[in-house]
Amino acid sequence: MVENTSKVKRNANDAKTNAEAERSISAKSKKIYPREVHGLFAALRTAGVASLLGFFYIVPWLQWDGRQALLFDLPERKFYIFNMVFWPQDFIYLTLLLIIAALGLFFITALAGRVWCGYACPQTVWTETFLWIERKIEGSRAQQMKLDKAPNSFRKIRIKFSKHFLWITFSIFTGVTFVGYFSPLRELAINFLTFEIAPSETFWIFFYALATYGNAGWLREQVCLYMCPYARFQSVMFDQDTMTVAFDETRGLPKGPRKKTVDKSDAGLGDCIDCTICVQVCPTGIDIRDGLQYQCIGCAACIDACDDVMDKMGYDRGLIRYTTEKILLGGHTEIMRPRMVVFGLVLLATIAGAFYSIVTRIPVGIDVIRDRNSLYRETNEGLIENVYIIKLLNMDKQDHTYTLTAEGIPDLILKMDVTDISVKSGEVVELPVRVQVDAYNLKQRSNEISFTLNTVGFEKLTATEEARFLGPAFR
Amino acid sequence: MDDIPLIQRVIAIIWPSFITGGIATVLFTVAFDPAEIFIDYDISRLGIYTICFFLFWILGAITATATVYFLKPGETINR
Ligand code: SF4
Ligand code: SF4
């Protein structure tokens, strides 16, 4: 099927130039073998990859106060971040964090293009690592292509086997580490090595390993092309002042091969010698000389590659470089433009707000659950009674004693079996309580009441929660 | 639609539904403690989260499959 359509396509494309036709087909199927690059940006990327991977693999091993420093304990429903503990009730902070991350990404993108993609995106980070392993095992770009073309042989199978073996081992290691953010890694690692791991953890380890292996080993640039939403709306965030990787057409064209000894102006040529090295190094397989494309992840591999060529030819570096559209058109670029100022201010305000609310967070929580079995009942004294379960959360680092009050209906009586409500640090206590009122004080069937929790000795530690009090339909 | 590569179509089905499945699971488990709902079953919380996630994912994938299917331009149908 696919074969057929591409043949039809090819016929239909006859009118187009060869190069164009080849490109549209290659975009579909051809495997990309990025050539290795050296240079300033390659070094920066290696630094980025090494520090981010180091961070990812080391952090879950850190301990704090006798527990894992960074742990999203899903079974216990508590998130530990160094000395702070977050609860599902603190969901708002997660939302804030995501908003800050998104704003930060907008800001950086408007300023400097897709630097995130080129240096810090997990997809790039793991793909680079997998490429590195591949190069260690299979050799250079040319050797890899030759190997793939060669018929199966013992040598080919051995090489392929070693590569996949290393990839898979590394992926599983990644999977264990990933699950270690959610389930204490020290135990997990021991259980893993002794095959005593719980089924759902096993499942997630292999699921994550498979995702790593598939995304970094096989899909690679396809993830950027088809899975990444960010790549698709880059045009919304870019403007003429955004820094991007670009080919300087005025300087480079007309392109063409020439001997180093030939004077380019005599030959009527620009600086581009059409060696296509910039295309060979590109991890997404595009030709940057065609202009800005959404496939470009801004990795600057082509800059490093072309600078090398320029050095060899004795031309100035920077035929491909980080620049802005305005500069290429002969203008100059403002960094402090309105868009940046607005993005920057919103970003700062959100960070400040999040910081403030975390610092002033009240470490006590209350949750009211109505007893679902009965709407209400009448007591022997003729009062209307509702039953609730009050959940008290002590999110503080010390134990506390609390008092509970309720209000909202005149002459409301709050009854509970315990008198002293003490909750240990980091614990939840469930307290059954009964609220009784005189039916004459009920204006309607469903009435609003509120429970307030006060901490003995700490006036500021208080929390209030609303609830419904149900009674008979009256009058 | 035939010029959308197969891989892109597959990704369009399993990937957005993966994300929404994840979000739905987070929202659901923040709102309800699953251990209270499944109190009668002997299953760990992580196990419940996993099952929740897959149910949401499958649901999303079914929707996405239908979307991809109905995306086919009208003039190419029944020909
Ligand atoms: S690497 Fe530089 S000189 Fe070579 S083709 Fe690309 S732009 Fe032209
Ligand atoms: S065009 Fe250059 S910067 Fe863009 S992805 Fe390719 S190599 Fe990286």
Side-chain angles (χ1 to χ4, degrees):
Chain A
M1 237 301 265
V2 176
E3 282 286 86
N4 268 342
T5 43
S6 64
K7 236 176 244 153
V8 174
K9 276 266 144 49
R10 212 174 306 189
N11 290 340
N13 278 349
D14 271 348
K16 290 189 188 170
T17 65
N18 256 350
E20 236 176 307
E22 192 180 319
R23 209 169 298 132
S24 77
I25 289 162
S26 74
K28 271 184 191 171
S29 52
K30 224 189 257 164
K31 180 176 170 197
I32 294 169
Y33 300 86
R35 185 187 168 119
E36 192 174 5
V37 259
H38 300 282
L40 174 63
F41 300 108
L44 278 177
R45 184 166 36 262
T46 310
V49 168
S51 47
L52 289 172
L53 283 186
F55 187 81
F56 176 80
Y57 291 105
I58 291 171
V59 161
W61 293 100
L62 301 180
Q63 297 290 109
W64 184 277
D65 258 356
R67 56 165 169 78
Q68 192 165 317
L70 193 64
L71 179 66
F72 306 107
D73 196 334
L74 293 179
E76 289 290 319
R77 292 162 75 81
K78 284 183 200 170
F79 291 178
Y80 300 98
I81 302 176
F82 291 93
N83 67 340
M84 288 184 291
V85 184
F86 291 92
W87 299 66
Q89 281 75 5
D90 296 321
F91 190 64
I92 174 79
Y93 298 116
L94 180 65
T95 321
L96 273 177
L97 192 71
L98 291 179
I99 293 175
I100 291 175
L103 285 172
L105 195 60
F106 280 2
F107 184 78
I108 291 287
T109 309
L111 185 70
R114 288 171 66 179
V115 283
W116 158 263
C117 299
Y119 302 93
C121 176
Q123 179 60 26
T124 299
V125 166
W126 269 293
T127 302
E128 284 289 320
T129 317
F130 273 56
L131 280 171
W132 181 78
I133 295 177
E134 189 166 59
R135 276 189 200 119
K136 287 279 163 237
I137 305 276
E138 291 191 359
S140 69
R141 174 177 198 260
Q143 287 167 320
Q144 289 178 21
M145 291 166 97
K146 200 171 146 215
L147 182 73
D148 281 358
K149 282 215 193 83
N152 279 337
S153 66
F154 175 69
R155 181 176 161 270
K156 181 171 177 178
I157 292 171
R158 192 198 69 220
I159 292 179
K160 291 283 171 193
F161 178 83
S162 331
K163 178 179 85 175
H164 289 286
F165 178 77
L166 282 182
W167 276 2
I168 290 170
T169 313
F170 183 64
S171 302
I172 292 176
F173 174 53
T174 308
V176 174
T177 310
F178 175 74
V179 174
Y181 278 90
F182 302 95
S183 164
L185 183 56
R186 284 164 194 237
E187 286 165 44
L188 188 77
I190 293 170
N191 290 347
F192 184 77
L193 294 175
T194 53
F195 301 103
E196 277 173 10
I197 220 155
S200 42
E201 285 167 351
T202 317
F203 171 81
W204 284 110
I205 289 175
F206 285 99
F207 187 86
Y208 199 80
L210 184 74
T212 309
Y213 173 75
N215 286 342
W218 294 95
L219 288 176
R220 296 194 179 162
E221 77 285 349
Q222 324 244 23
V223 173
C224 309
L225 300 188
Y226 305 130
M227 292 169 72
C228 178
Y230 173 64
R232 305 232 157 190
F233 55 75
Q234 73 171 30
S235 59
V236 183
M237 292 176 282
F238 279 24
D239 58 19
Q240 285 202 323
D241 290 307
T242 298
M243 196 173 82
T244 56
V245 175
F247 172 74
D248 191 338
E249 290 190 359
T250 1
R251 210 188 116 181
L253 300 181
K255 63 190 179 188
R258 80 286 312 257
K259 287 228 168 62
K260 199 180 165 185
T261 44
V262 172
D263 186 278
K264 59 188 175 195
S265 46
D266 285 352
L269 290 169
D271 280 354
C272 174
I273 65 168
D274 206 11
C275 60
T276 71
I277 300 223
C278 54
V279 183
Q280 295 173 27
V281 297
C282 179
T284 67
I286 57 169
D287 188 342
I288 190 66
R289 294 173 301 173
D290 296 341
L292 181 64
Q293 296 146 70
Y294 101 96
Q295 290 95 329
C296 174
I297 60 170
C299 69
C302 51
I303 301 187
D304 281 335
C306 187
D307 278 350
D308 235 18
V309 176
M310 294 295 109
D311 288 353
K312 285 200 187 107
M313 293 301 293
Y315 301 161
D316 289 343
R317 289 177 158 218
L319 175 56
I320 303 176
R321 63 176 186 273
Y322 273 117
T323 183
T324 72
E325 212 180 317
K326 272 227 182 108
I327 293 178
L328 282 179
L329 293 172
H332 79 279
T333 277
E334 287 286 341
I335 291 182
M336 290 291 283
R337 47 196 198 274
R339 175 194 289 240
M340 298 316 303
V341 174
V342 172
F343 268 164
L345 287 179
V346 174
L347 182 60
L348 281 182
T350 324
I351 293 176
F355 190 73
Y356 177 79
S357 68
I358 288 182
V359 169
T360 56
R361 183 174 76 127
I362 292 174
V364 56
I366 174 171
D367 231 351
V368 181
I369 303 158
R370 268 188 57 85
D371 181 15
R372 283 174 224 267
N373 294 325
S374 64
L375 295 179
Y376 64 90
R377 75 177 199 102
E378 243 179 281
T379 63
N380 294 339
E381 296 86 37
L383 297 173
I384 306 293
E385 181 182 88
N386 279 204
V387 180
Y388 304 86
I389 307 277
I390 311 276
K391 268 194 176 181
L392 304 179
L393 275 65
N394 181 359
M395 303 186 272
D396 209 355
K397 280 185 252 358
Q398 62 185 93
D399 304 350
H400 281 302
T401 304
Y402 301 101
T403 57
L404 184 70
T405 53
E407 61 190 11
I409 298 169
D411 301 329
L412 168 157
I413 308 166
L414 176 68
K415 291 207 160 166
M416 47 190 159
D417 303 330
V418 289
T419 40
D420 165 55
I421 316 169
S422 325
V423 187
K424 289 216 173 67
S425 161
E427 304 229 311
V428 186
V429 163
E430 290 191 4
L431 203 65
V433 303
R434 288 165 287 140
V435 174
Q436 300 174 344
V437 301
D438 193 324
Y440 285 95
N441 288 325
L442 290 178
K443 296 275 173 302
Q444 61 253 353
R445 190 190 261 272
S446 168
N447 307 270
E448 194 163 281
I449 60 169
S450 65
F451 291 93
T452 302
L453 195 65
N454 283 300
T455 311
V456 176
F458 297 84
E459 280 166 30
K460 284 194 185 132
L461 293 188
T462 120
T464 301
E465 178 76 7
E466 322 250 279
R468 299 255 124 219
F469 185 94
L470 302 184
F474 200 72
R475 275 190 290 252
Chain B
M1 176 146 111
D2 282 338
D3 45 70
I4 299 178
L6 179 67
I7 180 89
Q8 187 170 6
R9 274 181 275 172
V10 172
I11 287 173
I13 292 172
I14 60 176
W15 174 239
S17 50
F18 177 85
I19 301 283
T20 47
I23 295 174
T25 311
V26 170
L27 292 180
F28 182 75
T29 50
V30 164
F32 308 96
D33 182 350
E36 278 174 15
I37 304 172
F38 295 89
I39 202 147
D40 298 334
Y41 301 89
D42 181 26
I43 180 165
S44 72
R45 272 216 184 96
L46 201 59
I48 298 170
Y49 293 143
T50 308
I51 293 167
C52 268
F53 168 70
F54 270 88
L55 290 180
F56 282 126
W57 189 11
I58 290 170
L59 190 68
I62 293 172
T63 317
T65 311
T67 308
V68 168
Y69 176 71
F70 284 119
L71 261 184
K72 212 168 150 78
E75 59 268 27
T76 64
I77 295 173
N78 295 341
R79 274 218 270 154

